[in-house]
Amino acid sequence: MVVGAEPNYDESKVPAYTLPDPLVCEDGTPVRDRRVWEKRRRPELLWLFEEHVYGRAPTAAPGMWFEVVESDGTALGGRAIRRQVTIWLRGDRVGPRMDLLMYLPRERGRRVPVFLGLNFMGNHTVHPDPGIRITEQWVPADRAGTVVSNRATAAGRGTMASRWPVERILARGYGLVTAYCGDLEPDFPEGWKLGVRAALSPDGTNHVFRLDEWGAVAAWAWGLSRAMDYLEIDRGVDAKRVVLIGHSRLGKAALWAGARDRRFAVVISNESGEGGAALTRRRFGERIADLNRRFPHWFCGRYKEYDDREDALPVDAHELIALMAPRPVYIGSASEDLWADPRGEFLAGLHAEPVYRLYGRTGLGVTEMPAVGQWVGRYIGYHLRPGRHELTAWDWERYLDFVDRHLGGR
Ligand code: GTR
């Protein structure tokens, strides 16, 4: 592929390809049962994804300090508990921090299941609620002009609310927990200097990159696990029922977090595309070379060796999905979001199915991709929403129903 070449959107031009087999170890040993999968193949796949795609992140924080900055039982007109919790990620109170925004339904004496997802522009963009604290981190400029010199302002309140139907989530009996991805790493090539990668590295901003160095996606995923560390001690949350959700680049992060950290009960990828749920070997829409060119900071150094060499990558997206097994996972696509390759996302779910079968579980339960506006799936959910690249109320309804089926809802 010539760098910057036109993406392929023609199904007839998808080349023939052979996917790596999730049920064959690198030394050729077949995986016939859960034991071999869990003891050998699963760790091996995690290692391959670290080494070649996302890079190697620390397993834990060097120290953590949870500061409950606010807990208000009368938020949203008395319907919700709003909590804002700062997680100091180095144990001191000067180092990197992640600010959690939580809304929990007001239900006495019951721990609630929650959705956990990172947001793109700051917690205050998720809902117009004036009580939400505004991030002081670097934020990207927005079209509405609410960001001044990469600083968020109050004008940004609620600007991303369509992606976060808070009232609807609460009405269905779930809480919502979110944090700004830029608390972990602001999303630009030099952003690592302002995030956890520099702060947790012994040589700080003089850092020398290794080929398996964690990228921004891994830093975001790591932060999701730190949020989980806090949720395990929050008295309002049922930590056994935490559902990860992420849209697009943050869907890639949700998948990687869910693969690494089995405390997450359900994982939802909304249009995560290349480097997420889409099979890379199809070379449909966005490709590895596009990611590496436009977002050189997202993946590890070695990932750059796979520009236009998709077949050489030792893993593919179906194996990322398989790493969720036996937990429920949902892949949402949108019909006009060809850049993210909806069919490639469906096929990743389909080819993850053999691993679910080791646990006696049905994945998608179908072999044909559903029509636009339809959804399928048992332990692997999939839908093709009509429309563009977005996270919408329609997507949320599918996710809420799927999670109800698996986690029992109220
Ligand atoms: C695009 C990128 C995609 C996806 C998307 C997003 O520009 O090519 O991989 O991550 O951004 O995050 O909205």
Side-chain angles (χ1 to χ4, degrees), residues 120 163 187 217 220 247-252 270-276 286-287 290-291 294-295 298-299 337 339-340 389-390:
F120 280 73
R163 285 192 182 166
D187 192 4
V217 172
W220 299 330
H247 170 59
S248 205
R249 67 198 68 185
L250 299 178
K252 308 182 209 291
N270 192 74
E271 299 152 34
S272 60
E274 186 69 34
E286 185 169 37
R287 296 182 58 182
D290 297 308
L291 283 171
R294 296 176 57 223
F295 309 105
W298 281 4
F299 296 89
D337 184 19
W339 184 239
H389 185 66
E390 248 311 333

Side-chain angles (χ1 to χ4, degrees), residues 360-371:
R361 294 196 161 169
T362 302
L364 289 166
V366 298
T367 52
E368 291 302 315
M369 191 171 168

Side-chain angles (χ1 to χ4, degrees), residues 91 127 135 224 245 251 310 340 359 380 387 396 400:
H127 194 284
T135 181
L224 288 166
I245 182 163
E310 285 87 350
Y359 293 89
I380 303 174
W396 273 100
L400 285 161

